[in-house]
């Protein structure tokens, strides 16, 4: 079974530029998550999708961050414009059953904003 | 105060040692407790999963939950260099699927 796939793995951009990250969850997993992980910190939830619906986006900075999950499969997370403080690892995870809390993570997209 | 507190380490132990990793939490609604292992430049992977209080053993790993003290532990027996990673505790309440993570403890097992 293929795992959660994320791209790009690494991205370096100038501040104020836009950036987008893509995630393909494990087949059959209806729940998809985007997490932010700063250096030396645990992951923090940005947004959770149940199929196409964003059911928890309370931690997503909506002034510059946006996300979509068209057709309830792949998802894209966008930042526009990026700020220096956005440098972090953006993790995508998916789960089949939200009741167990067993999340499967991708390897992450590491963003550096100069 | 954070909902979940975890000593960031780093923790360095010799090969074969018993390792004890711990987290404390403040939210009494947490019922599901997990330990994730994260290798450098990789995503976290689920290591242990427990519900409510008690112990759970899986090979060299034992997870303990003490809800009365709001304290969870992960023990690693006969530690190996391949156990060198960051260990993240995570927990959630029974009615929500949001996982709250600790900061992670970086473990180094030396030869």
């Amino acid at each position: 079974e293929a795992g959660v796939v994320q791209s790009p793995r690494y991205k370096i951009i100038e501040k104020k530029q836009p950036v987008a990250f893509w995630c393909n969850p494990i087949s059959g997993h209806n729940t998809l998550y985007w997490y932010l992980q700063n250096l030396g910190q645990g992951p923090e939830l940005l947004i959770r999708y149940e199929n196409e619906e964003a059911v928890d986006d309370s931690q997503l900075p909506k002034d510059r961050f946006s996300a979509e999950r068209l057709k309830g499969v792949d998802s894209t997370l966008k930042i526009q414009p990026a700020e220096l403080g956005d440098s972090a690892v953006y993790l995508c995870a998916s789960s089949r059953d939200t009741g167990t809390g067993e999340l499967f993570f991708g390897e992450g997209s590491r963003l550096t904003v100069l | 105060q954070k909902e979940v507190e975890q000593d960031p380490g780093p923790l360095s132990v010799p090969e074969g040692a018993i390792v004890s990793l711990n987290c404390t939490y403040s939210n009494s609604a947490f019922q599901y407790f997990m330990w994730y292992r994260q290798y450098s430049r990789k995503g976290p992977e689920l290591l242990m999963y427990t519900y409510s209080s008690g112990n759970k053993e899986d090979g060299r790993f034992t997870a303990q939950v003490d809800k009365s003290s709001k304290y969870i532990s992960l023990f690693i027996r006969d530690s190996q260099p391949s156990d060198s990673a960051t260990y993240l505790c995570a927990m959630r309440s029974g009615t929500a699927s949001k996982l709250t993570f600790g900061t992670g403890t970086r473990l180094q097992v030396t030869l």
Side-chain angles (χ1 to χ4, degrees), chain B residues 3-22:
Chain B
E3 273 191 300
V4 179
E5 298 280 357
Q6 185 175 9
D7 187 333
L11 179 62
S12 182
V13 301
E15 183 179 9
I18 296 174
V19 176
S20 173
L21 304 167
N22 312 294

Side-chain angles (χ1 to χ4, degrees), chain B:
Chain B
Q1 183 187 8
K2 292 184 177 181
E3 273 191 300
V4 179
E5 298 280 357
Q6 185 175 9
D7 187 333
L11 179 62
S12 182
V13 301
E15 183 179 9
I18 296 174
V19 176
S20 173
L21 304 167
N22 312 294
C23 287
T24 59
Y25 63 95
S26 58
N27 188 345
S28 58
F30 287 141
Q31 294 188 60
Y32 299 88
F33 304 92
M34 282 139 272
W35 286 94
Y36 280 80
R37 178 174 61 194
Q38 186 173 25
Y39 290 114
S40 180
R41 298 186 179 273
K42 299 290 186 181
E45 57 178 338
L46 184 65
L47 198 57
M48 297 286 284
Y49 172 90
T50 54
Y51 171 71
S52 194
S53 288
N55 292 2
K56 183 175 182 179
E57 188 174 321
D58 184 2
R60 296 184 295 111
F61 299 91
T62 299
Q64 281 186 352
V65 175
D66 182 349
K67 290 190 71 179
S68 62
S69 301
K70 298 190 178 66
Y71 188 88
I72 69 170
S73 301
L74 177 70
F75 297 96
I76 307 174
R77 291 183 298 280
D78 188 25
S79 56
Q80 303 295 309
S82 59
D83 295 328
S84 298
T86 295
Y87 290 80
L88 296 152
C89 64
M91 47 199 80
R92 57 183 284 265
S93 67
T95 58
S97 60
K98 175 185 173 181
L99 269 182
T100 300
F101 284 86
T103 56
T105 299
R106 189 155 62 91
L107 172 67
Q108 181 74 35
V109 181
T110 58
L111 292 170

